[in-house]
Amino acid sequence: MGRVLEVDDIDVYYGELQALWEVSLHIEEGEFISLVGSNGAGKTTTLRTISGILTPRRGKIIFAGKDVTGWPPHRIAQEGLAHIPEGRQLFPRLTVLENLKMGAYTPKAREHFDETLEFVFTLFPRLKERRDQIAGTMSGGERQMLAIARGLMLRPKLLMLDEPSLGLAPKLVQRVMDTLRRLHEEGLTILLVEQNVRYALELADRGYVLETGRVVMEGGGRELLEDPRIKKAYLGL
Ligand SMILES: Nc1ncnc2c1ncn2[C@@H]1O[C@H](COP(=O)(O)OP(=O)(O)OP(=O)(O)O)[C@@H](O)[C@H]1O
Ligand SMILES: [Mg+2]
């Protein structure tokens, strides 16, 4: 078991506006980590920095044993990082199958394409039925499944998801969470950003809490769920 990700003391800015202060976190192979916090806390900024869309002004990002700080996103992705951004960006005019093919863009992913596709179709039978449907015409829930499936086609060392439950009906939220649980059980390493703090911490081995750009708490998922400060601030108890 090795360390998949280490975020070491990063400061991140949008122009002159600082969004993250001294953020550190780490993820071990096979772990399910949730990153929670209120609107504007810096969750999306953290994921965008890990995937290379933003570059930290201070600090380091170590992914799969390599210092990837300052690398462009496509090079970090090639090391095995799948980032499913907010708003599930698909290719709306392409079919389901074409979108999945686009996800398998590294040599390793292409080599295992058939096998991974079969796995993904077992996980999401609906996508198999609808493999020739134009992605943009699918329902919100189906598009979220497709976004996750496309990330999986990369055969990632780390799957990062930004608010996968956003805009979904409760039943579908439950299905997305069940899927993530199953992927975790199969050994996938996951970093989840989620507004639904209860779900996020129930699933997580460990969690981090961000407030106004800083990590203010970290601990076991269950332990955080029981914490009076979390109950009060995020669970409305
Ligand atoms: N492109 C940008 N330019 C300037 N400031 C930005 C930009 N994107 C985000 N910010 C600011 O950075 C801070 C962190 O935003 P971020 O999107 O990371 O929050 P978040 O935790 O993902 O919030 P949410 O739960 O609403 O998605 C906020 O104050 C936000 O206004
Ligand atoms: Mg966000």
Side-chain angles (χ1 to χ4, degrees):
M1 292 287 245
R3 181 160 289 189
V4 173
L5 178 73
E6 183 162 344
V7 173
D8 183 18
D9 209 16
I10 57 169
D11 286 351
V12 176
Y13 290 73
Y14 290 102
E16 284 315 302
L17 273 173
Q18 188 162 4
L20 298 182
W21 281 261
E22 297 160 28
V23 167
S24 291
L25 56 91
H26 63 93
I27 305 180
E28 309 300 318
E29 207 178 315
E31 272 193 313
F32 191 130
I33 302 295
S34 287
L35 180 60
V36 300
S38 316
N39 290 125
K43 304 178 299 294
T44 296
T45 303
T46 303
L47 296 195
R48 289 168 66 87
T49 308
I50 293 168
S51 65
I53 300 163
L54 298 168
T55 304
R57 199 175 282 189
R58 202 175 68 99
K60 278 188 306 199
I61 314 271
I62 313 288
F63 179 66
K66 293 184 183 161
D67 186 340
V68 299
T69 322
W71 287 24
H74 71 272
R75 272 191 70 201
I76 302 178
Q78 275 171 11
E79 295 294 323
L81 178 70
H83 179 192
I84 300 170
E86 255 174 323
R88 49 193 98 111
Q89 289 157 14
L90 298 166
F91 298 99
R93 290 166 188 278
L94 299 187
T95 66
V96 167
L97 187 60
E98 285 162 346
N99 267 278
L100 293 174
K101 281 183 181 155
M102 300 294 270
Y105 57 85
T106 66
K108 181 185 158 203
R110 276 195 296 268
E111 190 186 322
H112 296 280
F113 181 81
D114 292 342
E115 195 188 318
T116 316
L117 188 67
E118 203 180 302
F119 168 70
V120 158
F121 279 163
T122 315
L123 198 61
F124 302 112
R126 177 71 65 96
L127 295 182
K128 186 174 187 178
E129 289 163 22
R130 306 202 160 217
R131 59 202 290 164
D132 297 318
Q133 185 168 334
I134 300 295
T137 66
M138 298 211 300
S139 74
E142 289 166 346
R143 287 203 305 276
Q144 185 59 67
M145 300 301 174
L146 179 55
I148 295 173
R150 194 180 59 174
L152 292 173
M153 292 307 296
L154 187 64
R155 299 180 70 97
K157 291 183 186 129
L158 175 64
L159 180 70
M160 299 199 301
L161 307 105
D162 198 348
E163 314 258 12
S165 75
L166 202 69
L168 298 185
K171 222 174 105 184
L172 283 173
V173 173
Q174 188 61 59
R175 274 204 51 205
V176 170
M177 296 303 155
D178 287 345
T179 303
L180 295 181
R181 175 182 286 125
R182 178 164 163 206
L183 288 168
H184 176 43
E185 284 165 4
E186 301 208 3
L188 188 67
T189 311
I190 297 174
L191 175 56
L192 172 67
V193 161
E194 186 46 65
Q195 285 275 332
N196 191 321
V197 172
R198 179 177 299 283
Y199 277 130
L201 293 179
E202 270 172 6
L203 284 171
D205 297 311
R206 290 187 300 113
Y208 292 86
V209 183
L210 268 183
E211 263 173 30
T212 54
R214 295 171 193 274
V215 174
V216 293
M217 285 177 79
E218 57 182 283
R222 293 275 154 191
E223 181 191 334
L224 287 175
L225 265 181
E226 292 302 317
D227 190 285
R229 286 166 292 176
I230 299 283
K231 283 186 170 168
K232 186 159 181 285
Y234 301 105
L235 301 174
L237 301 173

